[in-house]
Amino acid sequence: MQEIIELIVDYLKGIWLKRRFIIISTWLICPVAWVYISQLDNVYESDARIYVDTQSVLGPLLKGLTVKTNPEVQIRLMIKTLLSRPNLERITRMTDLDVQASTPEAYESLIDGLKSKIKIRKTGGRSDNIYTITYEDKNPEMAKNVVNSALTVFIENTLGENRSDSNSAQKFISTQIKDYENRLLASESRLTEFKQKYSGVLPGQYGGYYQKLNIVKEQLKITELNLLEQETQLKSAKAQLSSSPSSSDNAQNNIMNSNSIQTTYDERIAELEATLDSLQLRYTEMHPDVKEVKRRLDHLNNQRSQEISEYLNATSGSDNNKLSTSQNPVIQQLQIQVNQLENLVASTTVRVNNYRKQVNELESKIHILPEIEAELTSLNRGYEITKSKYEELLNRQETAQLAQQADETTNPIQFRVIDPPRASTEPVGPKRLLFLVGSTVFAFGVGVALSLLFSQINPVVTSSSQVSKVTGIPVFGIVSATENLGLKRWHKRKTIFFIISNSLLLILLAFFMLYAIAPDVILAPIRGVL
């Protein structure tokens, strides 16, 4: 530690011996820097404070009905994009700054200057959306115009972004709906054609292919059994018909049962008999109505008997046996039964053939059934997916339209300008006092560095320990020769000169600082003399 202190002291002594470099550097740097700082143009700052209200009144009412965006994220995005080149170019046009740039290089420099000077920051708390936009310029009016233009661009971009997002979303959803609608129609068309082509083997009202095949086979078995039963009944009926009575007996029975033959007069005779019974209950036999009904009844009975006689006569001769047999009610009933059974057998045979044909057709398609079912599954899956997406897009479109109508009714983001931009009357810069002090410290620092550098290049022994280190010989005593050689007076004059030089610099520094604080105080006497 002692060695470090001694080393520092030696360095300080070397700097003190070479202090003329401090004087030179300060007098070369300070006046030039002070004059330059004093001539710097004043900078005026304009700012504006704006409050962003993100609490929409319709927000709680439309919760769950519309798509809710995060306004905080949108505001942060607008802040980051405020200093984008399109916005900066718009600000230059709004403030006529672009007129000042005569060359592309000057215009690029103007854009870069705006980007570095325009500041937007959040000045409120974490929950308070208060933002401040500031800009500095040599012209206070220009600073005000730039801040006002930046504020306008910020508000319009934020509100315009909402409308642009809504319109873009509506356009995108409409395009997707049209696309999915075409895809849905195409899927429906393919599915319809496929079902029409393979309608016989596709699952339908009666289930799938195998279930349909089983049903047809069961129906075929039942129909074949019915056909067998009907053929058996037909054989039995024909056997009974072939064993019917002889022709003479049939004719005799036919004559004896002539009353059982039906004629065209039977219904009218039955009506008149009923009428006669009703009249006889009320009148005697001599009543004219009773007589008239009896007369008409006798006439109809005569006509009926005549018709039966003609019929019996027409059936006589060579065909008498056959016709008399057909007039037997038993034979007639058997003949009718045979005819009915023959018709049933014929129709049932047609049904059996049809069912057999269906079974053959279904069994012939059994080798392509897996492919058909796989293709049907694929078509149904594609159709259902397309349909669900289409319906989902329709719901999204309704939601987007409702959200857009809500945004048009009341904006989700409200802007309130707390402090509008104003032209400042007092400059905010440059910080001349700080620059003056800083340049002075810099000049002294350069002088100290030069003094240290030259003291090391051309060293001077200042202590016995330093002599001992250099020579390696111990020092037992020191004899001063400064008094005899006049060095003491010389060092004294240099010290006085150093003090005077620094004092003049301090006085000059005070003058420039006073000029920086109150230039009118310094310039008023000069103007009075001139």
Side-chain angles (χ1 to χ4, degrees):
M1 188 65 184
Q2 184 66 29
E3 292 178 355
I4 295 174
I5 295 174
E6 290 178 356
L7 182 61
I8 294 173
V9 171
D10 291 338
Y11 284 155
L12 293 176
K13 287 181 179 180
I15 292 171
W16 178 251
L17 291 175
K18 303 295 183 179
R19 58 186 178 275
R20 61 182 178 275
F21 292 103
I22 297 177
I23 298 173
I24 294 171
S25 65
T26 53
W27 279 99
L28 289 177
I29 296 175
C30 288
V32 176
W34 292 344
V35 171
Y36 175 77
I37 293 171
S38 64
Q39 296 301 318
L40 291 175
D41 295 329
N42 290 331
V43 177
Y44 296 89
E45 182 183 74
S46 180
D47 59 1
R49 288 200 307 158
I50 181 173
Y51 172 69
V52 183
D53 186 7
T54 58
Q55 301 297 325
S56 175
V57 179
L58 291 179
L61 300 177
L62 299 178
K63 185 177 181 181
L65 298 177
T66 60
V67 179
K68 184 179 180 182
T69 58
N70 190 349
E72 301 290 342
V73 176
Q74 188 174 5
I75 292 172
R76 288 197 296 269
L77 179 61
M78 289 298 103
I79 291 173
K80 292 180 180 179
T81 59
L82 175 63
L83 301 180
S84 61
R85 186 176 181 87
N87 290 337
L88 293 176
E89 291 179 350
R90 184 180 175 188
I91 291 174
T92 58
R93 291 191 295 269
M94 294 174 67
T95 57
D96 295 332
L97 282 173
D98 55 341
V99 180
Q100 301 177 6
S102 57
T103 62
E105 292 77 10
Y107 186 73
E108 292 296 330
S109 177
L110 177 63
I111 294 295
D112 294 337
L114 283 176
K115 188 173 182 179
S116 61
K117 291 181 181 179
I118 297 177
K119 307 292 182 183
I120 180 169
R121 61 186 184 276
K122 189 173 183 179
T123 56
R126 179 172 297 181
S127 59
D128 297 333
N129 293 327
I130 299 177
Y131 296 89
T132 302
I133 301 177
T134 60
Y135 179 75
E136 294 180 355
D137 193 82
K138 299 175 183 179
N139 187 349
E141 287 295 331
M142 181 57 68
K144 171 189 172 184
N145 294 336
V146 170
V147 172
N148 192 23
S149 300
L151 182 62
T152 302
V153 170
F154 176 67
I155 295 175
E156 291 181 355
N157 282 357
T158 305
L159 298 179
E161 188 68 19
N162 288 334
R163 300 187 183 95
S164 177
D165 290 343
S166 299
N167 294 333
S168 299
Q170 288 280 4
K171 185 177 180 181
F172 174 77
I173 292 177
S174 299
T175 304
Q176 293 297 315
I177 287 176
K178 188 65 177 179
D179 181 42
Y180 271 94
E181 183 177 0
N182 295 332
R183 293 168 60 180
L184 186 61
L185 292 175
S187 298
E188 290 176 348
S189 177
R190 289 194 299 269
L191 191 59
T192 301
E193 293 176 358
F194 184 83
K195 289 182 177 180
Q196 290 176 351
K197 183 178 179 181
Y198 300 103
S199 58
V201 296
L202 294 178
Q205 182 179 2
Y206 300 103
Y209 170 82
Y210 294 103
Q211 184 176 358
K212 185 178 296 185
L213 180 61
N214 292 330
I215 292 175
V216 174
K217 286 184 176 180
E218 290 295 332
Q219 290 176 346
L220 176 61
K221 290 181 181 179
I222 294 172
T223 308
E224 288 178 343
L225 181 60
N226 290 335
L227 178 61
L228 182 60
E229 292 175 353
Q230 292 169 5
E231 289 177 347
T232 303
Q233 292 176 0
L234 179 60
K235 290 179 180 180
S236 176
K238 286 182 177 181
Q240 294 179 8
L241 184 63
S242 61
S243 61
S244 59
S246 62
S247 59
S248 57
D249 294 338
N250 290 336
Q252 184 65 32
N253 292 332
N254 190 21
I255 294 172
M256 293 175 64
N257 297 306
S258 60
N259 291 330
S260 62
I261 297 176
Q262 294 182 354
T263 64
T264 57
Y265 301 99
D266 292 343
E267 293 182 0
R268 295 172 62 186
I269 291 173
E271 291 178 356
L272 288 175
E273 288 178 351
T275 303
L276 180 61
D277 291 338
S278 176
L279 291 174
Q280 287 178 349
L281 293 174
R282 292 180 294 172
Y283 306 110
T284 62
E285 296 291 334
M286 301 303 294
H287 194 275
D289 292 338
V290 175
K291 290 181 179 181
E292 179 63 22
V293 172
K294 285 183 176 181
R295 186 186 65 80
R296 292 177 61 186
L297 185 60
D298 293 337
H299 177 70
L300 290 176
N301 287 324
N302 293 330
Q303 289 183 343
R304 179 178 181 276
S305 299
Q306 185 179 356
E307 183 176 351
I308 292 173
S309 299
E310 291 177 355
Y311 177 76
L312 294 175
N313 293 329
T315 58
S316 62
S318 59
D319 296 332
N320 185 40
N321 185 28
K322 181 179 177 181
L323 292 174
S324 60
T325 301
S326 63
Q327 295 298 324
N328 190 345
V330 177
I331 302 301
Q332 289 180 353
Q333 185 66 30
L334 288 174
Q335 187 66 40
I336 292 173
Q337 185 177 2
V338 168
N339 294 335
Q340 290 178 348
L341 289 173
E342 288 178 348
N343 293 332
L344 286 175
V345 168
S347 62
T348 306
T349 303
V350 173
R351 290 171 60 193
V352 168
N353 294 332
N354 184 31
Y355 284 132
R356 286 175 180 171
K357 182 179 179 181
Q358 291 183 16
V359 170
N360 293 332
E361 290 179 353
L362 291 175
E363 288 180 345
S364 65
K365 297 178 180 178
I366 194 169
H367 64 281
I368 63 172
L369 179 62
E371 297 179 1
I372 296 174
E373 291 181 346
E375 188 174 356
L376 177 61
T377 303
S378 177
L379 290 175
N380 285 330
R381 181 171 59 249
Y383 173 75
E384 292 297 332
I385 292 175
T386 305
K387 182 180 178 181
S388 62
K389 290 294 183 182
Y390 178 72
E391 293 175 350
E392 183 180 356
L393 285 173
L394 288 178
N395 294 332
R396 294 292 181 89
Q397 187 181 36
E398 293 295 330
T399 303
Q401 290 177 354
L402 184 60
Q404 185 176 12
Q405 293 175 0
D407 291 342
E408 292 175 355
T409 304
T410 173
N411 290 321
I413 302 176
Q414 299 289 336
F415 293 92
R416 296 182 179 88
V417 179
I418 300 175
D419 293 327
R422 294 184 179 88
S424 178
T425 57
E426 296 294 333
V428 295
K431 306 296 183 181
R432 289 188 177 89
L433 295 179
L434 181 61
F435 291 162
L436 290 171
V437 174
S439 61
T440 304
V441 173
F442 175 73
F444 272 96
V446 172
V448 170
L450 290 174
S451 300
L452 179 60
L453 177 62
F454 281 99
S455 67
Q456 297 300 315
I457 294 174
N458 188 15
V460 177
V461 177
T462 57
S463 64
S464 59
S465 60
Q466 193 173 2
V467 174
S468 178
K469 288 180 182 179
V470 173
T471 61
I473 301 172
V475 178
F476 298 100
I478 298 174
V479 178
S480 177
T482 56
E483 195 66 37
N484 296 329
L485 298 177
L487 296 176
K488 189 174 183 178
R489 289 191 299 271
W490 168 246
H491 286 298
K492 185 176 181 180
R493 284 196 300 268
K494 287 198 301 182
T495 302
I496 294 172
F497 182 75
F498 181 76
I499 294 172
I500 293 172
S501 173
N502 291 333
S503 299
L504 291 176
L505 281 175
L506 292 176
I507 293 172
L508 190 60
L509 177 61
F511 175 80
F512 279 103
M513 293 178 69
L514 181 61
Y515 176 77
I517 296 173
D520 294 336
V521 176
I522 303 299
L523 295 178
I526 298 175
R527 292 171 183 170
V529 172
L530 297 176

